[in-house]
Amino acid sequence: MRNHRHGRREFLNLTGAGIAALAGGAWPVAVMAADGQDTDLVVFNAKVYTVDSRAPKVEAFAVKAGRFTAVGTTAEMKALTGKGTQTFDAKQMTIVPGFIDCHNHAPGEVLLYEVLVGNPYVVEFVTIDSIVEKLRSKAAQTPPGTWVEGYFFDDTKVKDNRLLNVHDLDKVSKDHPVVVQHRGGHTSFYNSKAFAMADINRNTPNPPGGTYDRDANGDLNGRVTDRARAPFSRAGKRPSYTADQALKRTREGLAFISKQFVRYGVTSVHHEGGDLSALQDVRTRGELLHRVSYESNGRVLEAMIGAGIQTGFGDEWIRLGATSEHTVDGSFSERTMALSTPYPGVTPPYKGNVTETQAELNAWIERVHRAGIQVNCHANGDVAIDMVLTAVERAQKLFPRADARPKITHCTQVNDDLVRRIKATGTVPAAFTTYAYYNPDKFKYYGEEMMRHCMAYRSFLDAGIVAAAGSDFSPGPFDPRMAIQGMVTRTGWDGKTWGANQRISVEEALRVNTLNGAYNSHEEAIKGSITPGKLADFVVLSDDLFTVGKEKIKDLQIVRTVVGGSTVYQA
Ligand SMILES: [Zn+2]
């Protein structure tokens, strides 16, 4: 607690202690403000892109008590330097506000403890053999009848250039149920033992909202989509942990992923549920390096509604935001989203999976909206987005509430009428960010005509919609550099460009990934730009993202990540 005693957090030395002091202190801002008149930190000789239209580009800024206090020229800011002021000569490096990711599953536990059959962070191709090998060694340490699971599979990042199937997974084991989870979260691949234990065979019909996929002979091929996966969750044994073990895993997972976020310059993340109590523990221990907008579901959401706790409750580190994504349809990357026209080239004709009825959705949105909680629905296809807007329009008419900002997670495939209704309802989309670069290998399943209407940042911004960034990690990597490059170029890792009409400028992409993210959780008054009075969350980049060349944005180095004036990552 050295920093707390000195009344100042560390910028120059990498530390988590400042964060702990802030987290543990009762009134940290007041304590530090009363502590002396000196500015804590002056950063100068930088190219600072503030994302504040009043002073979009400056050379320098000052920080005190974890907030920006002034922006201006190097000379102006140096004049604010006192005896106790740390200074940082940025040597003409570029500084931007901390990046904000408005949709993230933050699966730290999976990253730390599970078998990863694909690369979570970057484009990497693997072989089916490597997947089988990894799962075999896991099976060797797993009692028969207990699940062997693989994570972060991506069907279009496989060197074999074919789908993983039941026969591949039968090579892993005949005694264990085996599943490979697609990183998209909507499809899974099972072995024969798993099908047997779940009592699914070639004659089992597809349930509503899901499919058991079949090969040319009508036999199960191993791929199971969306709601058809329910029987597997009831079959077989899974590893069990004592309450202490489970808590330890959760805490370590959160601390681990927090380090990954700041490594990529992400300073605020919207978490899809997770253990709220463990999250607070991690913060108390000084291991929470990024700020959290906690999106509740299940027990926590019910408790909020029951106790009258509304969106916005909490503080600058952990605040209750919108709900978790309430799922209305399938997946974009796994080609199960609900389209009004059939998927090109698929027989029999397939329009994706709607996973909820309009009546159920109306009731859910009405109940949450009435409780003063920001609704958040997962909707990818135009059919699902229409359903969400229908329910939102209904709820807003029945119970008008100013500035509710209903959130649509993904909001992938739009048309002019949907865009108009999104604007009219004040809806805030959190669309895919890294997909344009990461997933071009999947866009052929939709085709150029549909891709002109997908991840429609140009359409959103032109309509005055405050669109934000939602990586959807684990489905998408969360690297904001990859995100910005993809939004600006619409060109993928393979050099192919899709839906170039939806390109936005570097300036716009930066705003989408910062200030618009703050707006998404009603926090634009305290973060998202380098503005006096706002939290001092910023990122130092090796080079200028505006001049480096659009195809090189993803290769910029994150030199330093700073949250509340404290350095939480240093290259
Ligand atoms: Zn999601």
Side-chain angles (χ1 to χ4, degrees):
M1 295 292 156
R2 175 175 53 88
N3 295 317
H4 190 54
R5 264 206 312 279
H6 287 224
R8 186 178 72 191
R9 279 158 295 142
E10 283 292 329
F11 172 78
L12 294 179
N13 301 315
L14 183 62
T15 176
I19 304 291
L22 181 63
W27 297 284
V29 173
V31 166
M32 283 184 281
D35 199 34
Q37 296 306 308
D38 284 353
T39 292
D40 290 339
L41 169 69
V42 165
V43 175
F44 62 92
N45 190 22
K47 291 179 194 164
V48 184
Y49 294 100
T50 64
V51 193
D52 183 333
S53 55
R54 288 164 295 186
K57 196 177 175 196
V58 297
E59 294 172 346
F61 56 82
V63 173
K64 185 170 176 66
R67 290 181 183 251
F68 299 112
T69 52
V71 298
T73 64
T74 290
E76 285 166 347
M77 294 303 107
K78 275 190 168 170
L80 302 174
T81 308
K83 236 196 269 169
T85 306
Q86 297 178 337
T87 56
F88 178 64
D89 180 351
K91 300 195 169 104
Q92 284 299 300
M93 286 190 290
T94 292
I95 298 181
V96 296
F99 295 109
I100 300 178
D101 185 352
C102 295
H103 187 67
N104 198 302
H105 293 271
E109 266 182 79
V110 170
L111 294 175
L112 253 190
Y113 298 112
E114 302 293 346
V115 177
L116 307 182
V117 301
N119 190 319
Y121 307 108
V122 295
V123 175
E124 182 189 332
F125 277 67
V126 302
T127 61
I128 288 177
D129 276 351
S130 76
I131 296 171
V132 170
E133 240 3 89
K134 282 181 178 177
L135 293 171
R136 257 192 198 148
S137 44
K138 178 73 175 179
Q141 316 151 26
T142 306
T146 298
W147 283 91
V148 171
E149 301 190 74
Y151 290 85
F152 280 93
F153 176 67
D154 186 333
D155 67 299
T156 57
K157 304 289 185 299
V158 177
K159 283 182 186 157
D160 309 60
N161 205 16
R162 65 168 176 84
L163 266 190
L164 185 67
N165 63 43
V166 64
H167 310 296
D168 299 319
L169 298 181
D170 284 345
K171 287 187 213 152
V172 173
S173 175
K174 298 229 185 287
D175 308 317
H176 300 82
V178 177
V179 60
V180 168
Q181 308 287 6
H182 197 288
R183 70 178 296 163
H186 291 254
T187 59
S188 307
F189 301 76
Y190 298 94
N191 71 345
S192 298
K193 180 75 176 176
F195 280 109
M197 289 175 86
D199 208 17
I200 307 292
N201 58 54
R202 60 170 289 154
N203 300 319
T204 309
N206 290 338
T211 60
Y212 300 111
D213 290 4
R214 290 147 213 277
D215 63 20
N217 304 321
D219 291 322
L220 297 166
N221 68 11
R223 183 176 186 257
V224 179
T225 69
D226 285 307
R227 291 180 80 162
R229 297 175 300 171
F232 297 91
S233 60
R234 299 188 286 269
K237 288 197 214 78
R238 287 182 168 74
S240 65
Y241 304 102
T242 64
D244 280 355
Q245 286 169 332
L247 182 58
K248 186 166 179 292
R249 281 170 62 96
T250 306
R251 278 181 186 153
E252 286 176 357
L254 284 165
F256 179 79
I257 199 153
S258 193
K259 281 189 195 151
Q260 310 310 312
F261 288 146
V262 297
R263 188 157 74 88
Y264 285 94
V266 179
T267 57
S268 286
V269 178
H270 295 201
H271 282 222
E272 292 305 293
D275 187 332
L276 183 55
S277 170
L279 185 63
Q280 294 170 82
D281 291 344
V282 170
R283 172 190 182 173
T284 304
R285 291 161 168 236
E287 293 172 341
L288 186 65
L289 306 178
H290 69 284
R291 304 183 193 277
V292 177
S293 177
Y294 182 89
E295 300 195 325
S296 64
N297 56 37
R299 203 163 50 86
V300 179
L301 180 58
E302 287 308 315
M304 283 176 71
I305 295 172
I309 297 173
Q310 302 183 346
T311 292
F313 196 85
D315 66 12
E316 296 148 6
W317 283 95
I318 303 175
R319 194 186 301 283
L320 298 173
T323 66
S324 287
E325 57 179 338
H326 181 84
T327 303
V328 180
D329 73 340
S331 152
F332 177 41
S333 66
E334 296 156 276
R335 288 88 69 192
T336 65
M337 72 181 190
L339 308 180
S340 55
T341 54
Y343 279 78
V346 176
T347 40
Y350 174 63
K351 290 176 151 186
N353 301 335
V354 172
T355 56
E356 190 163 67
T357 65
Q358 185 72 55
E360 287 167 331
L361 183 59
N362 287 352
W364 185 84
I365 285 188
E366 177 184 328
R367 180 161 178 260
V368 172
H369 174 76
R370 282 187 77 169
I373 297 168
Q374 186 182 4
V375 303
N376 175 14
C377 290
H378 159 121
N380 271 306
D382 57 352
V383 169
I385 297 168
D386 167 73
M387 287 174 67
V388 174
L389 291 169
T390 298
V392 161
E393 287 155 355
R394 177 183 171 276
Q396 289 186 348
K397 204 167 165 192
L398 289 171
F399 308 98
R401 179 155 62 80
D403 208 21
R405 302 184 195 177
K407 176 169 176 175
I408 299 185
T409 290
H410 313 320
C411 205
T412 304
Q413 186 207 21
V414 295
N415 55 47
D416 290 348
D417 190 51
L418 293 177
V419 168
R420 183 189 57 74
R421 292 165 67 197
I422 289 166
K423 173 66 181 166
T425 49
T427 295
V428 288
F432 291 113
T433 53
T434 52
Y435 274 24
Y437 180 82
Y438 183 81
N439 270 334
D441 35 38
K442 298 184 176 73
F443 300 155
K444 61 175 183 278
Y445 298 109
Y446 293 102
E448 172 65 12
E449 180 44 36
M450 264 190 216
M451 287 310 299
R452 293 175 62 80
H453 300 273
C454 286
M455 309 180 297
Y457 280 106
R458 179 79 275 145
S459 303
F460 291 143
L461 297 183
D462 285 349
I465 293 163
V466 188
S471 74
D472 198 25
F473 188 73
S474 56
F478 55 75
D479 183 346
R481 299 165 301 176
M482 185 194 285
I484 291 173
Q485 179 167 322
M487 292 165 160
V488 167
T489 63
R490 296 285 288 204
T491 301
W493 62 265
D494 57 1
K496 295 207 176 93
T497 302
W498 294 88
N501 61 312
Q502 294 296 347
R503 280 177 183 151
I504 59 176
S505 69
V506 174
E507 187 187 357
E508 289 168 328
L510 180 60
R511 181 157 24 97
V512 165
N513 281 277
T514 56
L515 188 58
N516 288 10
Y519 185 89
N520 197 276
S521 58
H522 293 83
E523 292 177 293
E524 71 276 14
I526 61 161
K527 64 187 179 188
S529 64
I530 296 176
T531 300
K534 288 197 184 183
L535 297 164
D537 301 350
F538 61 92
V539 181
V540 183
L541 300 168
S542 57
D543 209 336
D544 186 341
L545 73 166
F546 284 83
T547 59
V548 71
K550 288 173 181 169
E551 305 288 345
K552 289 185 183 153
I553 294 173
K554 71 168 186 2
D555 302 319
L556 292 169
Q557 200 192 350
I558 308 278
V559 175
R560 189 187 283 259
T561 302
V562 180
V563 177
S566 293
T567 297
V568 290
Y569 169 76
Q570 209 174 325

